[in-house]
Amino acid sequence: MSEPRPPRVRVTGPPRRRHAPTARTGDIDEQTALGSVYLDSLLREQLALALRVLAVLALTVGSLPLLFHLAPGLAGVRLLGLPLAWVLLGGLVHPWLLLLGWRYVRRAERNERDFVLLLQMDSDMDTET
Amino acid sequence: MQGVPGLVALVAVSLATLAIGSYGLRLSRTTSDFYVASRSVRPGLNASAIGGEYLSAASFLGVAALVLTSGAQMLWYPVGWTAGYLVLLVLVAAPLRRSGAYTLPDFAEARLDSRRVRALCSVLVVAIGWLYLLPQFQGAGLTLAAAVGAPAWVGAVVVGLVVVVGVGGGGMRSVTLVQAFQYWLKLTALLLPAVVLLVVWRGDGAPGVGAVGDGWSMPLGAGERGLYTTYSLVLATFLGTMGLPHVVVRFYTNPDGRAARRTTLVVLGLLGAFYLLPPVYAVLGRAYGAAPDDTLVLELPRLVVDGPLGDVLTGLVTAGAFAAFLSTSSGLALAVTGVLAQDVLTGRSAGGLSGVAAFRVGASVAVAVPLAAAVLAPDLSVARAVGLAFAVAASTFCPLLLLGIWWRGLTGHGAVAGLVVGGLGSAAGVVWAVADGTEGGWTDTLLAQPAAWSVPLAFATMLGVSRVTRHRVPVHTRRFMVRLHTPEVVPLDRG
């Protein structure tokens, strides 16, 4: 009777699932080989996308000074009654930059969605086995 | 009578700014509110605020005057200032937000685990911020002198005071509202007069367009040096935007990386819309024979339209110009304040101030120094100082951000070496400009536009020294990179 009562213990069954649904993020956090592969693929994909956009920017807008330097006659060309340089640099370049940015955002978000799907798919497979 | 519209505009803009600022102050309660508006600003509002902060006196007054003076080659300024946001969008926006740091020094320390890099970055933020603030205060002095005939220091002091009250009083939450308002004010103040002036111009028989034939429609200067200067300018503006302290601080107010991207995209649209207008003023200024100096935008309405309509339009552009000084100075002062308050005034040293108090003292110091410089040395060229701020940013923070975000091999030593080399190289250009060296040869060209050589040099140094010290790569690098690039929906340990 005088014995102290043992502390209460919660009794539970064995864990049903060995991994939480987001197990693969553990791989990324803990820097396993698999986590590295996942991250590297996302990083490569996003960097390649960024470089593609920048290449287009360099080839279109960035090449204009060289183009006008090599062919000074372009300064006299008129588009809609205005000199070409004014139409390009004063007007068209702005919607063009916006278009490049818009396409970039769509692709970058798609890359991230694919990445998230990949992680989920993988952890689903884990929980089934 | 001459000064009345300008005076009315000045008072109205200052009052509106303080009113919106104090409204924001009612919403600002915590230190987090002060620094990052508690990271909860939506893309539309945030983009307006970024646009409002970014469109400085150089954009509102300077571009039109430069284009009128030198023609299409000066269109590269607005193009570069917009394209800089595209480069920022694709390389920096989302990872920078995900880094979870507030200022550039925060980012550098978190990424490289080095107090030395942090200290160096703090110095650079303050230097670039002050270099950029100086012409804002000078421009304010010029504008007020042109609008109401006040002595030049009055405008600088008025802007300085409103900025200290706005920033020190309400912090980021209130500055965000003020700047969003000021973007739309600036757009309206340039758009409405432009439309009226164009209608009047058509009524006058559309004079002056036929004359656009000579070097005025050539998008770069003559010869190899013209080509170099243009490409150096392109490089400085395309890459410098991401390294401007007031631009970077804004990204931490986005809720997440995805919002940071969307915000930047909206900014691209807002800037593009605005930059369509200054060339219109330049062309009209040429048609009506306006004087080619920084007051072109302010003088043009009266030159084209007589009577009360001219006065109203003058008041409108004056209001816009004043909003430009206020918003850009607020943003810069806020960025410099953040660094001063965090690194100099709080915590680590004994007797440090508490969060909000440090913020207020920091704001006063951040404004007082460039204000004193602007009042004491009012002769430094406005456009050149802004251009050099871009060159310094492109030669220092751009390599740090790009290599820090995309390359695992960056070390603290590499970063320090690159920052020093890029900073000194571009600072040589600053000194050259202050000393007003005019030699006229290649040396002059290379120093006047240092970005084309100082940016590659900084990158090469950072890469080279990092390779040599590769055993010093911080151990947590991979973990940090994971945080930078993984979307927020993935539940990671984000430290």
Side-chain angles (χ1 to χ4, degrees), chain B residues 105 116 145 151 204 233 255 259-260 287 297 316 365 400:
Chain B
R116 266 175 49 217
D204 288 350
L233 176 69
V297 170
L316 205 51
V365 177
L400 179 71

Side-chain angles (χ1 to χ4, degrees), chain A residues 22 25 28-31 36 39-40 42-43 46-47 50 53-54 57 61-66 68-69 72 75 78 81-83 85-86 89-91 93-94 97-98 100-102 104-105 108-109 112 115-116 119, chain B residues 67 72 75-76 79 82-83 86-87 89-91 98 209-210 212 216-220 223-224 227 230-231 238 258 261-262 265 268-269 272 275-276 279 283 406 408 478-479 482 485-487 489-493:
Chain A
T22 50
T25 65
I28 297 177
D29 267 342
E30 285 148 30
Q31 311 180 17
S36 284
L39 183 70
D40 282 347
L42 176 69
L43 207 79
Q46 297 289 49
L47 185 59
V53 174
L54 293 180
L57 178 70
V61 181
S63 69
L64 287 180
L66 190 61
F68 276 82
H69 180 71
R78 275 164 183 269
L82 290 166
W86 283 81
L89 292 181
V93 70
H94 295 293
L97 291 175
L98 189 62
L100 285 178
W102 179 69
Y104 167 79
V105 170
E109 287 187 356
E112 287 180 352
F115 179 72
V116 173
L119 292 182
Chain B
V67 172
L75 290 174
W76 283 106
V79 170
T82 315
L86 181 63
V87 179
L89 167 67
V90 304
L91 288 172
R98 286 176 182 145
V209 171
V212 185
W216 217 56
S217 46
M218 189 68 179
L220 74 163
E224 261 93 50
L227 189 64
T230 303
Y231 269 116
F238 280 37
R258 191 159 165 267
R261 273 199 207 107
R262 298 192 158 200
L265 187 60
L268 272 178
Y275 282 132
L276 292 176
V283 172
W406 297 104
R408 291 188 192 105
R478 176 169 283 280
R479 202 183 189 83
V482 166
H485 294 281
T486 323
V489 289
V490 179
L492 286 181
D493 168 22

Side-chain angles (χ1 to χ4, degrees), chain B residues 10 38 100 102 129 131 152 154 201 261 271 297 318 350 353 369 372 440 450 460 490:
Chain B
L10 167 69
S38 296
Y102 171 51
L131 192 60
V154 175
W201 171 74
R261 273 199 207 107
L271 293 183
V297 170
T318 309
L353 299 163
V369 171
V490 179

Side-chain angles (χ1 to χ4, degrees), chain B residues 330-386:
Chain B
S330 301
L332 287 162
L334 189 67
V336 175
T337 301
V339 168
L340 288 177
Q342 283 196 318
D343 290 341
V344 186
L345 297 168
T346 27
R348 289 169 189 115
S349 61
L353 299 163
S354 72
V356 174
F359 197 90
R360 291 187 168 148
V361 174
S364 311
V365 177
V367 169
V369 171
L371 183 59
V375 171
L376 295 176
D379 285 338
L380 195 73
S381 160
V382 170
R384 273 189 110 175
V386 168

Side-chain angles (χ1 to χ4, degrees), chain A residues 64-96:
Chain A
L64 287 180
L66 190 61
L67 199 65
F68 276 82
H69 180 71
L70 296 176
L74 283 174
V77 177
R78 275 164 183 269
L79 212 68
L80 307 167
L82 290 166
L84 185 60
W86 283 81
V87 175
L88 291 175
L89 292 181
L92 291 180
V93 70
H94 295 293
W96 175 241

